[in-house]
Amino acid sequence: MNYGEVSLFIQKFMQEHTYQLIEAAAEQLVRALLLTWPAVKQVKLELQKPWAPVGLPLQTVAVEICRGWHQAYVALGSNLGDRKGYLDFAVERLSAREDCLVKTVSDYVETAPYGGVEQDDFLNGVLELSTLLAPEELLDVLHEIEAAAGRERKIHWGPRTLDLDILLYDDLILDTPDLHIPHADMHRRAFVLEPLAQIAPWVRHPLIRQTAEEMLHSLKV
């Protein structure tokens, strides 16, 4: 990869694609650059459009964006039907996406149910993911995969064919009605920490400031 290659790629991309909004053009161009050169972790782009029809006396309208690959850890769980099959299904569906790269998958561990609801034992695991998706976009994708596996949300902490949770996303701390990062209970769940510590013992909880290995050890003492 060199400046000439990138310049020719951008010229060709802009010639072959048409967008109504300059923001959409910038987003798709950055996405294409990151997917074409996966070794590039982040791209900062300023895109200018001369004489844009914005109703203002401006010669140029510009947008600047910065996008890149993010590191996420996703917990997998199942206690209905073909448990291993459902976990493998989730890994395969994420691997099939061009905006997601499954880097490592832990061993699957069998654990007792959590939350006090009487049900069968779970099969649990954790995967390491590089993704171009924002946290909310990743959550939507995980919900789509759960739905494709026949997940029904009837009982809180109840039995399920497939359960997918974002544990960590870079060093992000996020608290919204729909999404909590880091996962609110991960430091209290051995069935999460055991597979996480297997594949990333060094990864650190951004609030507690303990590594996965340290959090798991704290649960066992």
Side-chain angles (χ1 to χ4, degrees), residues 136-153:
E136 295 81 3
E137 294 171 330
L138 178 57
L139 180 64
D140 288 341
V141 168
L142 297 183
H143 284 170
E144 290 171 4
I145 295 173
E146 288 176 340
R151 166 76 183 269
E152 295 182 347
R153 299 176 183 273

Side-chain angles (χ1 to χ4, degrees), residues 157-220:
W157 283 333
R160 66 215 75 170
T161 55
L162 183 61
D163 187 22
L164 302 173
D165 290 312
I166 302 172
L167 300 176
L168 299 166
Y169 183 100
D170 294 335
D171 291 324
L172 179 67
I173 298 171
L174 179 68
D175 193 12
T176 72
D178 298 319
L179 184 57
H180 307 283
I181 300 175
H183 191 281
D185 286 330
M186 63 173 289
H187 60 292
R188 291 189 285 263
R189 298 181 175 183
F191 64 86
V192 168
L193 294 177
E194 183 178 338
L196 177 61
Q198 181 194 31
I199 63 173
W202 59 84
V203 70
R204 193 172 296 274
H205 193 294
L207 286 172
I208 299 174
R209 303 309 303 164
Q210 289 184 327
T211 66
E213 193 170 57
E214 290 168 340
M215 288 186 287
L216 180 61
H217 177 73
S218 296
L219 280 183
K220 292 181 175 180

Side-chain angles (χ1 to χ4, degrees), residues 16-195:
E16 294 178 350
H17 298 82
T18 301
Y19 299 95
Q20 294 295 322
L21 298 176
I22 187 173
E23 294 86 356
E27 288 283 356
Q28 294 305 313
L29 176 54
V30 167
R31 178 186 174 90
L33 288 166
L34 289 165
L35 290 173
T36 302
W37 287 283
V40 176
K41 299 306 179 185
Q42 190 177 77
V43 172
K44 185 176 182 181
L45 171 74
E46 180 180 355
L47 190 61
Q48 297 183 354
K49 182 176 182 179
W51 306 108
V54 294
L56 296 172
L58 301 174
Q59 292 187 355
T60 301
V61 170
V63 61
E64 182 177 285
I65 64 171
C66 184
R67 299 289 184 269
W69 290 97
H70 301 276
Q71 198 80 356
Y73 291 89
V74 176
L76 311 95
S78 173
N79 75 332
L80 286 176
D82 182 3
R83 299 176 303 167
K84 182 179 182 300
Y86 284 124
L87 300 192
D88 290 343
F89 171 77
V91 174
E92 291 165 4
R93 288 290 292 264
L94 284 170
S95 298
R97 296 183 61 91
E98 64 177 7
D99 51 14
C100 290
L101 174 62
V102 175
K103 300 179 70 176
T104 313
V105 182
S106 73
D107 294 338
Y108 298 154
V109 296
E110 187 155 357
T111 59
Y114 181 91
V117 178
E118 186 174 344
Q119 55 189 303
D120 293 336
D121 287 348
F122 275 81
L123 202 62
N124 292 103
V126 170
L127 63 81
E128 179 186 4
L129 183 72
S130 288
T131 182
L132 295 178
L133 298 171
E136 295 81 3
E137 294 171 330
L138 178 57
L139 180 64
D140 288 341
V141 168
L142 297 183
H143 284 170
E144 290 171 4
I145 295 173
E146 288 176 340
R151 166 76 183 269
E152 295 182 347
R153 299 176 183 273
K154 293 182 178 180
I155 304 173
H156 186 52
W157 283 333
R160 66 215 75 170
T161 55
L162 183 61
D163 187 22
L164 302 173
D165 290 312
I166 302 172
L167 300 176
L168 299 166
Y169 183 100
D170 294 335
D171 291 324
L172 179 67
I173 298 171
L174 179 68
D175 193 12
T176 72
D178 298 319
L179 184 57
H180 307 283
I181 300 175
H183 191 281
D185 286 330
M186 63 173 289
H187 60 292
R188 291 189 285 263
R189 298 181 175 183
F191 64 86
V192 168
L193 294 177
E194 183 178 338

